[in-house]
Amino acid sequence: MKTTQIGSYPKNDVTFLVKLIDIEELSALEKEQQLQAGEKHYSEMISKEYKPTEEYMELFDTLLKLNGQKMADALVTIANHMHINNPDEITLISLMRAGTPVGVLLKRVLEERFGRSDVKHYSISIIRDKGIDTNALNYILEHEKRNPTNCLMVDGWTAKGVITRELKHYMGEFNKDREIPMSDTLYVLSDIGGTADVTANFDDYAIPSGVLNSTVSGLVSRSILNDEIGPNDFHGAKYYSELEPYDMSETFINTILPLCMTNEIKPCEDSVEAAKEQSESMMAYVHSTMKRFNETDINMVKPGVAEATRVMLRRIPEVLIVKSIDDSDTAHIVQLANDKAIPVEVDPNMPIKAVSVISNLKK
């Protein structure tokens, strides 16, 4: 295993523990057909990422203005919790790639607002049904000599809690095999699934970094696990060099960071009961949506603004459901749906702001 500086972030912001590979980019339809036919796992394929349209970037700019401060407030809340509870050193391990820009910002906030000089940030892969990259974890512990009890897992948000459960399960196996107490504490900005360990809030809103793909995540693809990845390799990723003219990664960081310097420090949500209610409400709605669309695979229903956006950008949607057609948090998803001629429904009683249902091609 070896590391090379990849991604478009400054090298001090993050170390991506991935193996750069070249991989054929499929259309969204080609990927969906192979995925639903059971021919390949989603981690073996990636679809082509297109540059955002001018209209979509205008919506992104609008969301930065509307929700940039809310995101900054959440970052400071999380950073303060990390600072208080980890006096010796802090190792941020962001789950690529939704966690990557969050990890970059947390590192900057810890250094520039809280005066910490002992923060390292690594971005590693975790894949549903496949697990976390244990080679990356071993590298952090053995090569970088980081304290396992001060390793803090970072993601952008939760939805159904799938990644949370994967993290807990595979970290439990890793710790048992290694006989070490490596932390599996998961920090997120928004815990709409009610499954994270530490969160700033349970609000379903358009986290600005969640509405773009690689162009706000260092131009790095989501993680890949295919035949090119050997037993001693990090999980793989592709670098989108063709999107360099459209990269917003550093601009995004430099826009949010000043908002984190003088805002009020608020406590994290620590109500177990509130998290439980959030989780139960979310899953009840997911199951009712599955029943309505005669869907037996829970992975076909993607709840929350961020997950619904990802479906519109990367999958083949059947329908978009929003709480309000006039909500600024979902305007970008509605635009994406309209651009793709995807039906948009309104459900004012839903417990979150948006849900995308993936089209079942077998039907």
Side-chain angles (χ1 to χ4, degrees), residues 6-20:
I6 69 168
S8 60
Y9 292 112
K11 67 178 184 178
N12 290 332
D13 280 342
V14 59
T15 299
F16 283 96
L17 297 183
V18 295
K19 177 183 179 181
L20 273 184

Side-chain angles (χ1 to χ4, degrees), residues 7 42 51-52 64 100 104 124 132 142 145 177 210 213 279 283 291 296 298 316 319 328 354:
Y42 79 88
K51 69 179 183 71
L64 270 179
T100 308
V104 170
I124 73 171
I132 198 163
E142 295 173 3
K145 308 297 182 185
D177 291 342
N213 279 329
S279 176
M283 294 312 299
K291 183 177 180 180
T296 58
I298 196 171
I316 302 296
V319 65
S328 58

Side-chain angles (χ1 to χ4, degrees), residues 95-125:
L95 306 180
M96 62 180 290
R97 72 187 162 176
T100 308
V102 177
V104 170
L105 280 162
L106 284 170
K107 183 177 187 291
R108 295 268 199 103
V109 172
L110 284 164
E111 290 171 340
E112 298 180 27
R113 178 156 185 180
F114 293 94
R116 298 295 292 260
S117 59
D118 51 4
V119 185
K120 294 283 189 180
H121 174 211
Y122 308 90
S123 201
I124 73 171
S125 164

Side-chain angles (χ1 to χ4, degrees), residues 223-288:
S223 49
I224 300 162
L225 192 58
N226 61 12
D227 292 340
E228 289 190 52
I229 309 302
N232 297 317
D233 291 333
F234 298 132
H235 290 185
K238 178 184 175 66
Y239 177 72
Y240 292 104
S241 57
E242 69 274 18
L243 294 177
E244 286 176 351
Y246 313 102
D247 186 21
M248 293 289 293
S249 303
E250 200 168 353
T251 299
F252 171 73
I253 299 301
N254 292 335
T255 300
I256 297 295
L257 189 62
L259 304 177
C260 300
M261 292 300 107
T262 58
N263 50 339
E264 180 185 357
I265 299 176
K266 299 177 182 178
C268 287
E269 292 282 355
D270 61 356
S271 172
V272 174
E273 188 62 34
K276 181 182 178 183
E277 290 177 4
Q278 183 75 21
S279 176
E280 290 175 349
S281 174
M282 164 73 79
M283 294 312 299
Y285 187 79
V286 167
H287 287 297
S288 69

Side-chain angles (χ1 to χ4, degrees), residues 55-207:
E55 293 79 12
Y56 192 77
M57 287 308 300
E58 288 176 359
L59 279 174
F60 174 70
D61 290 338
T62 298
L63 286 175
L64 270 179
K65 294 182 178 69
L66 286 172
N67 292 340
Q69 189 62 63
K70 185 178 181 72
M71 183 178 184
D73 292 346
L75 285 160
V76 171
T77 292
I78 296 298
N80 181 60
H81 189 282
M82 291 175 168
H83 172 60
I84 292 172
N85 290 281
N86 298 273
D88 298 325
E89 69 175 34
I90 294 176
T91 303
L92 302 175
I93 303 178
S94 62
L95 306 180
M96 62 180 290
R97 72 187 162 176
T100 308
V102 177
V104 170
L105 280 162
L106 284 170
K107 183 177 187 291
R108 295 268 199 103
V109 172
L110 284 164
E111 290 171 340
E112 298 180 27
R113 178 156 185 180
F114 293 94
R116 298 295 292 260
S117 59
D118 51 4
V119 185
K120 294 283 189 180
H121 174 211
Y122 308 90
S123 201
I124 73 171
S125 164
I126 185 169
I127 297 173
R128 192 187 74 226
D129 306 323
K130 302 290 185 178
I132 198 163
D133 188 344
T134 54
N135 287 333
L137 295 177
N138 281 324
Y139 181 90
I140 292 169
L141 297 179
E142 295 173 3
H143 186 275
E144 300 290 278
K145 308 297 182 185
R146 303 300 289 181
N147 185 336
T149 61
N150 295 115
C151 291
L152 310 177
M153 304 294 175
V154 174
D155 209 350
W157 56 84
T158 65
K160 299 190 295 287
V162 174
I163 292 300
T164 309
R165 289 187 287 275
E166 293 276 299
L167 176 67
K168 300 297 182 181
H169 172 73
Y170 286 103
M171 286 302 299
E173 289 191 344
F174 179 79
N175 283 341
K176 183 179 179 180
D177 291 342
R178 289 289 307 271
E179 296 182 340
I180 57 170
M182 192 171 189
S183 173
D184 64 357
T185 302
L186 178 63
Y187 290 78
V188 298
L189 301 183
S190 174
D191 186 22
I192 67 169
T195 61
D197 296 297
V198 184
T199 188
N201 57 65
F202 299 112
D203 300 341
D204 186 22
Y205 70 102
I207 297 172

